[in-house]
């Protein structure tokens, strides 16, 4: 309708409350989403409440699946065991860390943990927990203010 003003805080807040993802022109002239959050009002899911997290998680899972398939589909289980699959998975995750899609965490220094690979018949099932390396959303700063004191 042409009545939305991206610099008007009330308009932006109303758009957010209405479930929209408004953009605002930054001081450098670029456009940025005001909020990356999508579902906070409905759930607290870390991935699905962030456009960025969904995108990064999709890139990682699709890349890992494609690379594992390209490396092993059609190979004999006699030649490719779970340890070989694990080695390839570790290589893929090292690339994801280098690309800054995953990051080290207190509980996962390589950006992933709890990897399990099960070979059963012609199926290899890979499970792992990854640590997404998304952008910073908030930087709350807290100060304790106290009076200056002096003595001589």
């Amino acid at each position: 309708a042409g009545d939305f003003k991206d610099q008007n805080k009330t308009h932006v807040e109303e758009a957010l409350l209405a479930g929209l993802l408004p953009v605002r022109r930054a001081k450098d002239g670029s456009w940025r989403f005001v909020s990356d959050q999508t579902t906070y009002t409905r759930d607290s899911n870390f991935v699905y409440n962030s456009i960025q997290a969904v995108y990064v998680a999709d890139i990682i899972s699709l890349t890992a699946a494609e690379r594992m398939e390209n490396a092993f589909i059609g190979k004999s289980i006699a030649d490719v065991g779970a340890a070989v699959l694990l080695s390839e998975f570790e290589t893929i995750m090292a690339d994801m860390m280098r690309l800054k899609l995953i990051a080290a965490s207190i509980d996962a220094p390589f950006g992933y943990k709890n990897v399990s690979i099960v070979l059963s018949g012609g199926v290899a099932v890979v499970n792992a927990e990854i640590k997404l390396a998304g952008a910073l959303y908030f930087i709350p700063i807290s100060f304790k203010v106290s009076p200056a004191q002096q003595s001589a």
Side-chain angles (χ1 to χ4, degrees):
D3 57 351
F4 177 79
K5 306 292 186 225
D6 65 282
Q7 299 301 309
N8 182 313
K9 290 183 181 184
T10 301
H11 287 181
V12 171
E13 184 176 341
E14 288 172 352
L16 288 168
L17 291 172
L20 301 174
L21 293 171
V23 294
R24 179 183 312 169
R25 185 178 298 272
K27 290 181 181 180
D28 66 2
S30 65
W31 290 92
R32 298 182 185 156
F33 281 105
V34 173
S35 172
D36 176 40
Q37 309 310 298
T38 59
T39 63
Y40 268 143
T41 60
R42 300 282 184 246
D43 65 56
S44 60
N45 184 292
F46 165 71
V47 174
Y48 295 122
N49 70 24
S50 165
I51 296 169
Q52 178 190 151
V54 169
Y55 176 74
V56 172
D58 284 350
I59 292 297
I60 293 168
S61 62
L62 292 171
T63 300
E66 182 178 306
R67 286 180 57 179
M68 294 291 279
E69 288 175 3
N70 289 343
F72 301 113
I73 294 297
K75 303 273 171 95
S76 170
I77 293 174
D79 297 325
V80 177
V84 174
L85 290 163
L86 176 60
S87 178
E88 179 66 16
F89 180 80
E90 290 170 341
T91 299
I92 294 166
M93 290 299 105
D95 288 344
M96 297 299 109
M97 172 99 58
R98 184 180 51 78
L99 293 169
K100 299 181 177 149
L101 296 175
I102 61 175
S105 180
I106 293 169
D107 61 337
F110 298 109
Y112 65 94
K113 68 177 190 173
N114 300 331
V115 182
S116 71
I117 297 177
V118 177
L119 283 173
S120 180
V123 178
V125 177
V126 180
N127 286 297
E129 179 181 334
I130 60 173
K131 303 294 185 171
L132 291 183
L136 293 171
Y137 295 123
F138 311 104
I139 304 178
I141 297 174
S142 177
F143 291 108
K144 178 180 178 182
V145 180
S146 61
Q149 299 180 347
Q150 298 182 6
S151 64

